[in-house]
Amino acid sequence: MEIILSAGSPKPIYEQIEAQFKAQILSGALEPGQAIPSMRALARSLHISVITVQKAYEDLQRDGFIVTTVGRGSYVAAPNKEFYREEQQRQAEEHLQAAADIGRAAGIPAEKLCELLQLFYRED
């Protein structure tokens, strides 16, 4: 498991950690029941504060991506389809917002973007 932080990112470090864990869980790279590094171990390996990692882990636990047991550590949670679907929808919304921004700036009509989306959605 690899977490890469970018000092130039507009996202706070804890959000970068969350996003990368979520992506790895959603892609199957991290499987349910798999242990993840302790907060201290991850903070040490990334050269950041334990409090930053703690915030990321708390958010991941709140969103149902990980489970933390006192004395045993943190593990990838069993799949919760509702949380996963919500996260995937949020990611799609981010991409659609970016597409809308590009289309607006380039003068591409919304109808054309909708047509393209429908075309891409049907492709497998």
Side-chain angles (χ1 to χ4, degrees):
M1 185 187 82
E2 184 176 19
I3 301 290
I4 300 171
L5 302 178
S6 171
S9 173
K11 283 186 173 182
I13 292 173
Y14 77 91
E15 286 183 5
Q16 292 179 50
I17 294 169
E18 281 179 57
Q20 290 181 52
F21 267 110
K22 287 178 180 179
Q24 291 182 37
I25 291 168
L26 291 171
S27 73
L30 291 175
E31 298 179 357
Q34 185 174 346
I36 61 173
S38 71
M39 287 184 246
R40 286 189 182 118
L42 185 59
R44 192 172 31 253
S45 71
L46 296 175
H47 306 290
I48 60 173
S49 167
V50 173
I51 294 170
T52 303
V53 177
Q54 180 181 12
K55 172 69 172 140
Y57 278 29
E58 285 172 354
D59 289 353
L60 288 164
Q61 185 166 341
R62 179 201 66 221
D63 292 345
F65 284 90
I66 67 170
V67 175
T68 301
T69 306
V70 177
R72 293 198 58 219
S74 298
Y75 299 84
V76 176
N80 181 328
K81 291 182 182 184
E82 183 179 323
F83 281 122
Y84 286 0
R85 186 175 296 124
E86 181 67 28
E87 178 62 21
Q88 289 173 326
Q89 180 175 329
R90 187 194 61 73
Q91 289 177 10
E93 288 170 0
E94 285 181 8
H95 290 289
L96 289 170
Q97 181 64 57
D101 293 345
I102 292 167
R104 195 177 309 107
I108 301 169
E111 297 79 20
K112 181 64 177 175
L113 289 177
C114 289
E115 181 183 315
L116 288 169
L117 176 60
Q118 289 175 350
L119 177 69
F120 292 139
Y121 198 82
R122 284 185 229 139
E123 288 182 0
D124 274 41

